[in-house]
Amino acid sequence: MKISILTLFPDMFNVFNHSIMGRAITNKIIDLELFDIRDFTLDKHRKVDDYPYGGGAGMVMAAQPVVDCIKHVKKKNKGKVIFLGPRGKTFNQNMAKDLSSEEELIFLCGHYEGIDERIYEYIDEEISLGDFVLTGGEAACIPIVDCICRLIPGVLSNSESFKDESFYDGLLEYPQYTRPLNYEGMKVPEILMSGHHENIRKWRKYKSIEITEQRRPDLLEKYQLSAEEKKIIKEFRDKL
C-alpha cells in the first residue's frame, strides 16, 4: 500500500521507523511518504495559517498551501484524501478493514483551530479518533495508519496474527497467560494446560463474550451471537 501523509510535523512520524511498521516499510509492503505542508506555502515566512474571518480565538490553516500540497501528492498517489478532523465518523476496526483493502491512501493532518472550509472540496473522507481534543491531526493519524497497515497481508508474521485480537470480530480478546504456571498464588486456568484444543477454543470464546459483556456491553449489543456461541455460554454458565 502507498500512503502519503500531509503534515506540519513530519518528524512525529519517526515512530513508523520501528517495530512492525518499520519492518513493513523496509520490506516494501508499505510505501510511506511524508509531505511538509510548509514546503508548499507561498508566504516567504513559511506561514500556513491566518486569523479567521469574523474573529475568534486561534488560527486557521489556509487553503493555498494545503490544497497545493494535495494537488502535488495526487500526481503520484491517486488514493482518497482522508482528513483527520472532529466532524468525521469515529474510527473503528471495521473502517480499518475497509481501508486496508485500498492500494493508495492520502492522510491530511489538521492543526490550530481547523482548516479553511474550502479545503473540504479536496477531501474525500473525514475521520475522527474520538470525542476528545488533540493538539493536532498527527496524534490521530499515527494510530489510525498503524491499525490499517497491520491488517495488510504480510505486515504481521504468523506469530503476530490479528485474527484473535480485541475488536477484530466485534468482541474483546480472551485472557492470555504465559510462564510461570503459578505467580504469587495466581494460577493459570487448568483448561489451558489440558491439551484439549476444542475445550480451549470454547473456553476462550466464552471468556471473550464474558469480558465484553462486563467491560463493553455496548459492543455486545451490536454483536450477533451465533447458535454455537449461545450453546457455549449455556454450557459454561450451567457449570457455575
Side-chain angles (χ1 to χ4, degrees):
M1 177 187 282
K2 183 178 183 63
I3 296 176
S4 301
I5 299 176
L6 287 54
T7 172
L8 297 177
F9 301 98
D11 288 347
M12 289 186 69
F13 295 93
N14 287 341
V15 64
F16 288 145
N17 294 330
H18 307 280
S19 189
I20 292 169
M21 279 293 291
R23 187 178 66 209
I25 293 170
T26 299
N27 293 336
K28 303 188 184 304
I29 299 170
I30 305 295
D31 179 8
L32 181 68
E33 280 192 287
L34 301 172
F35 295 87
D36 189 337
I37 297 170
R38 294 185 191 278
D39 292 340
F40 296 86
T41 181
L42 301 179
D43 183 88
K44 64 180 180 180
H45 301 296
R46 288 173 58 82
K47 280 189 62 179
V48 296
D49 61 325
D50 212 331
Y51 295 102
Y53 279 117
M59 307 288 278
V60 175
M61 288 183 72
Q64 179 273 311
V66 176
V67 171
D68 282 0
C69 186
I70 292 173
K71 289 180 177 178
H72 174 80
V73 172
K74 277 285 191 178
K75 293 177 182 177
K76 293 184 178 180
N77 186 331
K78 305 301 180 184
K80 62 173 66 175
V81 178
I82 298 173
F83 175 54
L84 289 313
R87 297 181 189 173
K89 293 181 180 178
T90 303
F91 186 70
N92 59 34
Q93 192 68 20
N94 286 332
M95 293 173 69
K97 290 178 188 176
D98 291 340
L99 291 171
S100 69
S101 66
E102 299 282 342
E103 293 185 2
E104 298 181 322
L105 290 171
I106 299 170
F107 290 91
L108 170 61
C109 302
H111 241 277
Y112 309 116
E113 293 302 310
I115 60 174
D116 188 302
E117 189 70 18
R118 292 164 289 190
I119 298 173
Y120 277 98
E121 293 295 319
Y122 300 86
I123 292 170
D124 299 301
E125 185 176 349
E126 184 169 2
I127 292 177
S128 170
L129 193 59
D131 297 334
F132 48 86
V133 181
L134 296 170
T135 55
E138 290 80 8
C141 187
I142 290 170
I144 288 173
V145 169
D146 181 88
C147 183
I148 292 167
C149 288
R150 67 198 314 277
L151 298 177
I152 297 171
V155 171
L156 295 183
S157 64
N158 290 335
S159 63
E160 299 162 335
S161 175
F162 52 76
K163 295 291 184 181
D164 292 326
E165 292 177 332
S166 291
F167 307 112
Y168 182 76
D169 64 356
L171 298 172
L172 299 181
E173 190 178 8
Y174 50 79
Q176 298 274 20
Y177 297 86
T178 188
R179 289 180 287 186
L181 184 63
N182 186 331
Y183 177 70
E184 295 187 346
M186 295 177 284
K187 297 180 180 180
V188 175
E190 289 184 11
I191 195 169
L192 297 179
M193 308 300 297
S194 68
H196 195 300
H197 298 299
E198 179 61 11
N199 287 346
I200 291 172
R201 182 190 70 82
K202 289 181 178 179
W203 180 87
R204 284 175 168 171
K205 175 58 72 173
Y206 173 70
K207 283 296 181 180
S208 180
I209 294 170
E210 182 183 54
I211 289 172
T212 305
E213 183 179 39
Q214 292 171 349
R215 303 185 185 184
R216 290 292 305 274
D218 57 307
L219 292 177
L220 197 58
E221 286 178 7
K222 301 174 186 176
Y223 186 80
Q224 296 294 320
L225 289 169
S226 68
E228 186 203 18
E229 288 169 332
K230 291 177 182 178
K231 185 178 179 181
I232 289 172
I233 292 172
K234 185 177 186 307
E235 178 183 333
F236 278 90
R237 290 188 176 172
D238 283 348
K239 296 176 182 178
L240 297 178

